[in-house]
Amino acid sequence: MTASGSASAAISGRTNRPADLPAATGPRCVVVGGGASGATMARYLKKENPKFDVVMVEPNATYMSCFLSNLWFDDLINLETLEHSFDDAAASSGYVWLQGKLIDLDREKKRAYTSEGYIDYHYIVLAPGIDYNYKSIGVTDPEMVVALMQKFPAGFKPGSEHLSIKKKLANFEKGVFLATVPVGNYRCLPAPYERACMIANYFKKNKVKAKVVLLDPGEKPFAPKAPGFLAAFKELYGNIIDYRPSTNIKSVDPIKRTVTTEFETIKFDDGAIYPRVRAAKLIEDLGLSDPKSPQMEGDIDVYKYFAKGDQTCYITGDCRPMPFSKSGNTANSEAHYVAKVIAAHEAGKEIQWTSPQTICYSMVNGTPEEAIVVKAKYDKKTFGFTDVHLDNKRSRALGKADHEWGAGLYRDMGF
Ligand SMILES: Cc1cc2nc3c(=O)[nH]c(=O)nc-3n(C[C@H](O)[C@H](O)[C@H](O)COP(=O)(O)OP(=O)(O)OC[C@H]3O[C@@H](n4cnc5c(N)ncnc54)[C@H](O)[C@@H]3O)c2cc1C
């Protein structure tokens, strides 16, 4: 692999047509992906250096957030809270949104090929999020993978998957609703446990005779918040959540609706099955993954985020290789820092490393709304948690703070 672009034959669709964009008015920065990382990055690149001409490339018509989506499953918020306009974000933040997809990259020419034509850039930031690895739960046959993705979507990528799960809950009459926790550093470590609580609360208040079976390869829920989740499981949902720790999934049959663990085969009526995550395949297709990374995350300078040897190409958000929590707040605070790194590079300066911040509320009760929380930064050498603030005692005050936190994050992303 050379610095000239992708190594993969899977990449195609280079076009000689430039994207239909106004002429650049300053150093052009292309941001790929409009999630917590990309939307924040596009906004803050412009704030850090108003001369930057920023173009965000994102294929989805609207932004729909993953964070807070568990609250929607329990009707604690409406869909309007989750869904936002990329037009509004771009207009208020002073960048251009190109609705399209990055397809290929020529890093020697500094040319990004998109579904809408090519864009020549000074800097490019890749923030395309995650993809799923169904092999991790023993599903390799492409027909079965498609059946599993469509019948029992994980609900950890924005958009259709969440709409599908919401409908499942509304239509669920009785029986076993299956939920799973992946192995590895997956997107939002506490979210599968929060989701089990929100789904159980939804069934409880709607008097649906359901069991939420939660299969977890770990010995207990996500470590810092384990006491808060275990208390909620026992005290609020004792006869609804059937939590099974230390349970590895060997295979899933989406047609027969069975999941096989090392102990038994469980029949389920409906569910949302969450396999291991990996960095978006785009990163690998562009030849930018670290081949040693089991989740194919970006091969970058871990303090400055640029692709090794190329200070014009950056990889951020949930496809970074550092073991930070793959969360919205982490991606957002990290984007503030990386925008500064790029602005400093353009000005021929250096800046000090700043830790991203993880702030993660989990709503464990929906009636009344009560949450728990962890806030932390990361150690510069080990990238382990430092400055941890933890509150595992569920409370209404934290429930209220959860909503405020979400609203603040949307605002900071420009929505
Ligand atoms: C149920 C759930 C609950 C969560 N709860 C919390 C929480 O309480 N707190 C918290 O902080 N975080 C939470 N998160 C995690 C948080 O949502 C993610 O970590 C965050 O969204 C990651 O941001 P990102 O920008 O890296 O990826 P994403 O938000 O997934 O954005 C990636 C974007 O890239 C685009 N893209 C992909 N390929 C291309 C391409 N080729 N060209 C152009 N664009 C492309 C995609 O369309 C997508 O819009 C939760 C997540 C889930 C699913």
Side-chain angles (χ1 to χ4, degrees), residues 57-373:
V57 182
E58 162 62 55
N60 292 339
T62 55
Y63 174 73
M64 186 159 158
S65 80
C66 283
F67 58 86
L68 294 189
S69 63
N70 289 330
L71 277 62
W72 180 51
F73 293 149
D74 191 21
D75 294 331
L76 305 184
I77 54 172
N78 54 28
L79 190 54
E80 284 73 38
T81 307
L82 296 180
E83 199 171 22
H84 301 268
S85 158
F86 285 121
D87 283 312
D88 289 351
S92 68
S93 307
Y95 61 85
V96 173
W97 166 42
L98 180 71
Q99 189 178 358
K101 237 182 142 128
L102 182 79
I103 292 169
D104 201 359
L105 199 54
D106 184 331
R107 290 196 286 133
E108 240 159 45
K109 267 195 187 162
K110 299 200 196 331
R111 179 165 284 185
Y113 292 91
T114 80
S115 54
E116 305 307 302
Y118 69 79
I119 313 173
D120 291 328
Y121 64 84
H122 288 74
Y123 297 97
I124 188 161
V125 181
L126 303 170
I130 58 158
D131 274 314
Y132 299 127
N133 170 5
Y134 281 94
K135 275 190 199 139
S136 67
I137 50 171
V139 185
T140 50
D141 175 353
E143 251 180 65
M144 287 296 182
V145 171
V146 170
L148 188 48
M149 285 173 80
Q150 291 184 352
K151 285 173 181 280
F152 309 108
F156 275 83
K157 284 172 72 172
S160 276
E161 298 183 16
H162 290 99
L163 296 169
S164 165
I165 294 171
K166 182 76 174 157
K167 203 181 243 178
K168 283 170 182 295
L169 298 177
N171 293 337
F172 199 76
E173 288 176 353
K174 62 176 178 178
V176 169
F177 192 94
L178 181 70
T180 67
V181 183
V183 295
N185 186 12
Y186 58 87
R187 174 168 275 184
C188 198
L189 299 170
Y193 310 100
E194 179 192 57
R195 181 180 286 175
C197 293
M198 290 291 88
I199 291 180
N201 199 65
Y202 176 84
F203 289 147
K204 190 168 139 184
K205 75 183 175 200
N206 289 291
K207 301 193 177 13
V208 180
K209 285 194 175 140
K211 277 254 176 273
V212 179
V213 172
L214 178 61
L215 304 182
D216 185 352
E219 286 172 18
K220 56 183 177 183
F222 165 65
K225 285 184 176 169
F229 283 122
L230 290 171
F233 291 174
K234 191 168 158 210
E235 293 160 18
L236 305 174
Y237 313 112
N239 54 354
I240 304 179
I241 294 180
D242 176 356
Y243 175 57
R244 304 193 189 181
S246 306
T247 302
N248 284 294
I249 296 177
K250 295 290 173 203
S251 64
V252 185
D253 186 331
I255 312 298
K256 291 188 186 146
R257 299 182 181 224
T258 56
V259 57
T260 301
T261 71
E262 64 245 275
F263 309 116
E264 61 185 326
T265 293
I266 302 164
K267 183 110 182 78
F268 57 91
D269 297 285
D270 214 336
I273 298 176
Y274 188 10
R276 186 168 195 173
V277 308
R278 47 157 299 157
K281 287 180 190 141
L282 178 70
I283 300 295
E284 184 183 358
D285 289 344
L286 296 175
L288 289 167
S289 286
D290 178 351
K292 293 188 295 303
S293 153
Q295 298 190 165
M296 300 308 282
E297 282 131 346
D299 193 11
I300 57 173
D301 178 295
V302 293
Y303 296 110
K304 299 244 176 94
Y305 290 77
F306 57 78
K308 289 198 182 135
D310 181 358
Q311 295 206 40
T312 63
C313 175
Y314 294 73
I315 299 178
T316 61
D318 284 356
C319 41
R320 74 179 86 73
M322 295 78 96
F324 305 149
S325 166
K326 292 187 190 296
S327 78
N329 213 96
T330 315
N332 167 265
S333 54
E334 170 190 271
H336 284 217
Y337 164 69
V338 179
K340 283 192 198 319
V341 170
I342 296 172
H345 183 265
E346 180 62 15
K349 295 183 183 155
E350 291 275 330
I351 59 160
Q352 291 280 319
W353 179 79
T354 314
S355 167
Q357 184 170 32
T358 294
I359 301 178
C360 189
Y361 289 90
S362 300
M363 196 70 85
V364 291
N365 192 5
T367 332
E369 294 183 34
E370 294 176 317
I372 56 178
V373 68

Side-chain angles (χ1 to χ4, degrees), residues 6-18:
S6 73
S8 167
I11 298 277
S12 62
R14 288 193 178 198
T15 164
N16 287 324
R17 183 172 51 80

